[in-house]
Amino acid sequence: MVLERLQQMASHITGQAVQHHPSDPLSTEEIAAAVAIVRQEYSDLFYNAVTLWEPRKMEMMRWLASPKTAPRPHRVADVVAIGRGSKVYDGLVDLDEGKIVRWELTEGVQPLITMEDLQIVESVVRKDPKVIEQCGLVGIPPQDMHKVYCDPWTIGYDERFGSSVRLQQALMYYRPHPDDSQYTYPLDFCPIFNADTQEIIHIDVPKVRRPLNTAPPINYHADAVAKDTGFRNDLKPINITQPEGVSFTVDGRTLSWQNWNVHVGFNYREGIVLSNITFNDKGNVRPVFWRMSLAEMVVPYGNPEHPHQRKHAFDLGEYGGGYMTNSLALGCDCKGAIHYMDAAFVNRAGEPQVIKNAICIHEEDAGILFKHTDFRDDSCTVTRARKLVVSHVFTAANYEYCVYWIFHQDGTIQLEIKLTGILNTYSLNPGESAAPWGTEVYPGVNAHNHQHLFCLRLDPNVDGQANTVFQVDAVQGEGAVGSEENFYGNAFYAKKTKMATMSTGMSDYDGSTSRTWEMANTNKMNPYSKKPVSYKLVSREVPSLLPKDGSLVWKRAGFARHAVHVTKYSDDQLHPAGRHVPQTSGEPSQGIPAWIAADPEGNLDNTDVVLWHTFGLTHFPSPEDYPVMPAEPMTVLLRPRNFFTQNPALDVPPSFSSTPSQVAAGKTGIKAIVDNLSRLAFGGKQEKGGSNDCGCK
Ligand SMILES: *[C@@H]1O[C@H](CO)[C@@H](O)[C@H](O)[C@H]1NC(C)=O
Ligand SMILES: *[C@@H]1O[C@H](CO)[C@@H](O)[C@H](O)[C@H]1NC(C)=O
Ligand SMILES: *[C@@H]1O[C@H](CO)[C@@H](O)[C@H](O)[C@H]1NC(C)=O
Ligand SMILES: [Cu+2]
């Protein structure tokens, strides 16, 4: 029968034919199989997401411990589907068994808005008579409606419309010419779109009207720049060559490089998911993190005028960082020898779709790893660093977010995010001041103040699952100047505060104490320092959430209330603002605040914990950000502390090394090389190829 055929199809996929790693994203075949199994029982559905339901941790651990006797975790699809009348279904499909194991109608929620959902809105907006009328009022005649564009956003939450109808708000723009940036021509009104009926149900019109901007276009693409200022002509090529290939290996989706081992997953929502991260410490493979990902973000805007309070996009929970990911096929995004990975998703109709080259994996030179010169004799050792970068880039309407997960040779993991793209803009009357809630970045263009707050989910596995998180502050010795314990008043130390229970497991950033957080395994001491082995979260771009306590954003984005939350591990707690984020009122708050409220006394000491870190920046736009922003980087570091017994990168071959006795015996010191290299750079009298004699690699 059909069901048997489906079971065969599913077991063929997960059986010997293709043996997926349990953490691998669903393949196109698995997505198709999951949809086919659902269709056996339910028709007339749109598919919002079909993604890997990750194996339960205990089950996975058991299987890892004894792969021969313990059952291999099943491949399970997590399905979100939408039926007529905004009915939302959450389901699980066991692909090994070829059957639906959970199917629920979930009331009062709206799943995220997909690219396909977004693309419908513009055509509807252009035909709507009320929108045409509003366009006329700001100076756009009906025959020019093809020049009207919109960026559809989730509505966030609007108390007038609630959560039961699936809505989007259309941020309106105009393009004088199809190649002009629309962000120079924002329109002052905001239509609201009903996704069920595919019609405009309301238009928010401001009290003060603002006509269409009359400034000339300002554009960033090459044609425009060539015509305007022209290009700089003094750049010579920089070529990256890896003549012997790359230094990493990839087995399926497991990446090995410089003692690191990591599985690279991907999903529609978080984008890259790194799991089972281990470091080979001289033959001893030590677990470091079980899983890490960017789990959520919120971008609240700071203009109090209605309806701008609705602008606070949760780009991951409301749109999906994976769904919006760019295809890096052009090879412009990473330089060098690249390994790409594709990403597979479901579309609205239930068919699998592939984004080619969604993930880029490559190595980069990373400057000096360590160096020391003995000032008395010119002997020197300098070792250059290399880094491995796993990256993807996603476009959230106007903004680009470039996400780089970086592995270093010294055991450090770094998350770097670069912000680029275009500011969200609003109209301005001639002579009107954009201050204090925004900046006039170009004549007639108001870019509102906003924040970009990212939530990093870290599931530490520092030499095992039983971990404890400490807040670490640099503080003065308590004794007053002149006291016995601190006579000269110069004493200071690292004060550690254990984050012991769910209700107390939260903390804010404090730059004045150089605050960091340690994920420690208190069962294992470093033999030298007698301190627990740990990984330290070092993050210095940590603004507090500016929307006030009790505000709409504060209620909806509970994760952003503190820089760090620690929670007890639970398989189902992946989404810090809730599973379905669009149109949540925040009453009650979903995600982290709800988990804490459910278990306030939950123990966090020496157990399996998750650390949630909210970081980012507050963006006061300025003309330099326009018409496209130069990328602004932000960095978070995860550094081994008391984890190793010495610099773990000592065994990286040096670029140059000489001992005092070698220099005394006639070997080159560092100064000779410096001279030779500088002569070469400026093409002096030095003969070609001279640099090869200097001993630098
Ligand atoms: C450097 O790269 C450019 C552009 O890809 C190429 O045309 C050129 O031949 C390369 N030069 C060398 C020395 O490899
Ligand atoms: C995790 O990594 C270790 C070594 O790096 C490996 O032995 C183990 O099988 C991996 N587990 C999974 C689930 O990939
Ligand atoms: C540096 O260059 C000079 C002459 O250009 C040469 O005699 C000398 O051997 C070079 N030294 C090294 C260390 O390559
Ligand atoms: Cu910004």
Side-chain angles (χ1 to χ4, degrees):
M1 268 183 34
V2 182
L3 185 61
E4 272 163 29
R5 203 175 52 75
L6 286 172
Q7 270 167 357
Q8 273 170 9
M9 186 171 153
S11 68
H12 172 77
I13 289 157
T14 49
Q16 296 108 331
V18 186
Q19 186 79 308
H20 291 286
H21 183 285
S23 306
D24 281 358
L26 295 184
S27 65
T28 50
E29 292 81 6
E30 288 176 315
I31 291 169
V35 171
I37 291 163
V38 172
R39 281 202 180 127
Q40 284 303 299
E41 295 187 40
Y42 306 97
S43 52
D44 258 0
L45 295 176
F46 287 126
Y47 289 82
N48 185 261
V50 174
T51 196
L52 177 71
W53 191 70
E54 292 180 23
R56 308 295 87 181
K57 199 194 252 190
M58 276 305 125
E59 208 186 318
M60 185 81 166
M61 294 271 180
R62 272 198 296 274
W63 174 71
L64 278 175
S66 44
K68 294 219 172 67
T69 54
R72 187 186 174 92
H74 284 188
R75 298 286 285 167
V76 179
D78 179 342
V79 177
V80 181
I82 303 178
R84 291 249 170 87
S86 286
K87 283 203 167 60
V88 178
Y89 299 94
D90 285 290
L92 295 179
V93 177
D94 187 321
L95 294 168
D96 288 23
E97 297 187 6
K99 67 174 193 205
I100 298 175
V101 290
R102 186 190 298 169
W103 195 259
E104 282 161 11
L105 171 68
T106 312
E107 306 273 6
V109 300
Q110 293 300 336
L112 55 67
I113 306 268
T114 65
M115 299 303 274
E116 282 171 289
D117 294 336
L118 293 174
Q119 272 149 15
I120 299 165
V121 185
E122 201 159 72
S123 57
V124 173
V125 156
R126 284 180 180 163
K127 291 191 203 105
D128 184 88
K130 297 180 300 298
V131 174
I132 297 172
E133 183 193 337
Q134 287 302 322
C135 286
L137 292 175
V138 295
I140 303 167
Q143 66 272 21
D144 278 356
M145 285 307 293
H146 61 286
K147 299 183 176 177
V148 171
Y149 291 74
C150 78
D151 282 2
W153 285 32
T154 58
I155 196 160
Y157 179 75
D158 189 316
E159 62 280 11
R160 296 169 300 174
F161 306 108
S163 311
S164 58
V165 182
R166 200 163 162 73
L167 300 173
Q168 294 172 43
Q169 52 181 327
L171 306 193
M172 302 296 297
Y173 303 94
Y174 174 83
R175 291 188 194 177
H177 180 276
D179 293 344
D180 286 331
S181 170
Q182 69 208 31
Y183 299 99
T184 303
Y185 305 99
L187 309 186
D188 69 347
F189 58 94
C190 184
I192 294 171
F193 172 83
N194 176 331
D196 285 332
T197 57
Q198 307 215 335
E199 59 190 6
I200 304 301
I201 56 160
H202 180 80
I203 301 183
D204 280 316
V205 178
K207 287 194 197 92
V208 179
R209 296 311 299 259
R210 297 173 176 90
L212 186 62
N213 196 5
T214 55
I218 175 168
N219 295 312
Y220 56 89
H221 48 67
D223 279 359
V225 178
K227 278 185 206 132
D228 182 13
T229 58
F231 287 100
R232 302 175 190 192
N233 57 11
D234 52 356
L235 279 178
K236 304 236 168 36
I238 290 185
N239 286 27
I240 314 282
T241 56
Q242 289 174 276
E244 294 173 34
V246 298
S247 319
F248 59 89
T249 58
V250 180
D251 173 14
R253 300 185 68 108
T254 301
L255 193 58
S256 302
W257 179 81
Q258 293 289 292
N259 299 324
W260 287 109
N261 209 280
V262 53
H263 181 275
V264 181
F266 198 84
N267 65 48
Y268 72 103
R269 189 145 173 176
E270 300 166 287
I272 291 171
V273 174
L274 301 176
S275 62
N276 194 30
I277 305 175
T278 61
F279 192 93
N280 186 333
D281 179 12
K282 301 191 186 76
N284 181 13
V285 174
R286 299 174 67 184
V288 177
F289 287 93
W290 180 254
R291 189 184 187 280
M292 60 171 78
S293 64
L294 261 190
E296 191 51 276
M297 57 181 289
V298 66
V299 185
Y301 282 76
N303 186 306
E305 205 181 316
H306 186 273
H308 301 303
Q309 81 287 352
R310 282 201 310 244
K311 288 197 298 190
H312 56 275
F314 293 72
D315 289 301
L316 305 188
E318 291 186 325
Y319 306 89
Y323 274 160
M324 299 187 293
T325 216
N326 293 187
S327 200
L328 305 175
L330 294 177
C332 306
D333 302 271
C334 313
K335 261 189 145 178
I338 316 294
H339 179 74
Y340 291 109
M341 287 179 181
D342 299 343
F345 305 117
V346 74
N347 70 6
R348 221 171 125 83
E351 295 145 354
Q353 304 284 302
V354 172
I355 296 183
K356 284 283 295 169
N357 299 356
I359 304 175
C360 161
I361 301 171
H362 77 297
E363 291 172 281
E364 278 178 21
D365 179 87
I368 287 176
L369 177 57
F370 55 84
K371 171 172 185 171
H372 183 62
T373 305
D374 193 332
F375 70 87
R376 54 185 68 68
D377 60 27
D378 201 28
S379 68
C380 173
T381 292
V382 54
T383 299
R384 270 198 94 73
R386 189 82 68 84
K387 60 187 182 184
L388 182 73
V389 187
V390 182
S391 64
H392 78 121
V393 178
F394 62 93
T395 301
N398 50 307
Y399 265 106
E400 260 63 30
Y401 295 101
C402 316
V403 181
Y404 304 91
W405 296 93
I406 304 171
F407 291 85
H408 294 276
Q409 289 163 305
D410 65 353
T412 300
I413 303 173
Q414 177 183 8
L415 169 62
E416 182 173 76
I417 299 179
K418 283 184 179 170
L419 266 67
T420 176
I422 308 182
L423 294 162
N424 169 265
T425 57
Y426 192 63
S427 50
L428 205 56
N429 264 319
E432 183 184 355
S433 168
W437 320 118
T439 305
E440 186 165 6
V441 293
Y442 182 70
V445 179
N446 184 357
H448 293 160
N449 306 340
H450 59 278
Q451 300 190 286
H452 302 262
L453 300 174
F454 302 87
C455 184
L456 170 65
R457 181 182 184 277
L458 296 172
D459 183 355
N461 197 15
V462 181
D463 274 336
Q465 284 181 75
N467 290 167
T468 309
V469 178
F470 295 88
Q471 171 186 309
V472 184
D473 292 288
V475 297
Q476 297 175 329
E478 272 84 28
V481 178
S483 69
E484 200 180 337
E485 61 185 291
N486 190 12
F487 189 78
Y488 296 102
N490 61 311
F492 60 86
Y493 70 108
K495 181 178 176 187
K496 300 199 182 189
T497 312
K498 186 188 284 181
M499 302 179 76
T501 62
M502 295 273 276
S503 59
T504 60
M506 54 194 75
S507 116
D508 298 322
Y509 183 59
D510 188 348
S512 70
T513 65
S514 311
R515 182 168 290 172
T516 56
W517 295 269
E518 273 177 20
M519 290 156 271
N521 187 331
T522 52
N523 310 297
K524 202 172 161 198
M525 295 296 140
N526 184 293
Y528 299 164
S529 66
K530 318 284 188 301
K531 292 179 179 175
V533 296
S534 78
Y535 258 74
K536 182 195 279 262
L537 167 66
V538 182
S539 181
R540 303 184 185 102
E541 276 144 320
V542 194
S544 45
L545 179 70
L546 288 169
K548 289 196 165 173
D549 285 17
S551 68
L552 179 60
V553 179
W554 182 89
K555 287 189 283 187
R556 299 188 71 215
F559 65 88
R561 293 176 201 167
H562 300 286
V564 163
H565 286 94
V566 186
T567 58
K568 249 165 76 172
Y569 177 82
S570 161
D571 285 324
D572 293 320
Q573 295 179 357
L574 285 176
H575 306 308
R579 175 171 162 91
H580 299 296
V581 181
Q583 294 177 252
T584 49
S585 64
E587 287 176 355
S589 293
Q590 291 195 50
I592 292 176
W595 304 331
I596 295 172
D599 187 13
E601 297 315 313
N603 173 49
L604 303 176
D605 187 5
N606 199 19
T607 185
D608 192 3
V609 293
V610 174
L611 189 157
W612 309 82
H613 173 45
T614 298
F615 66 100
L617 54 84
T618 301
H619 190 169
F620 297 114
S622 96
E624 289 88 344
D625 299 339
Y626 208 67
V628 64
M629 294 189 300
E632 176 162 5
M634 266 172 299
T635 272
V636 172
L637 296 172
L638 297 161
R639 305 187 60 214
R641 296 275 86 187
N642 305 293
F643 190 79
F644 298 107
T645 50
Q646 60 171 30
N647 174 349
L650 265 191
D651 58 347
V652 175
S655 301
F656 179 82
S657 183
S658 57
T659 62
S661 45
Q662 286 169 338
V663 174
K667 194 181 165 176
T668 317
I670 194 73
K671 281 182 193 138
I673 292 161
V674 172
D675 292 346
N676 281 23
L677 289 179
S678 24
R679 273 207 295 278
L680 274 175
F682 297 106
K685 286 169 195 150
Q686 172 90 6
E687 276 169 34
K688 269 197 184 154
S691 69
N692 293 333
D693 307 331
C694 81
C696 269
K697 281 182 257 175

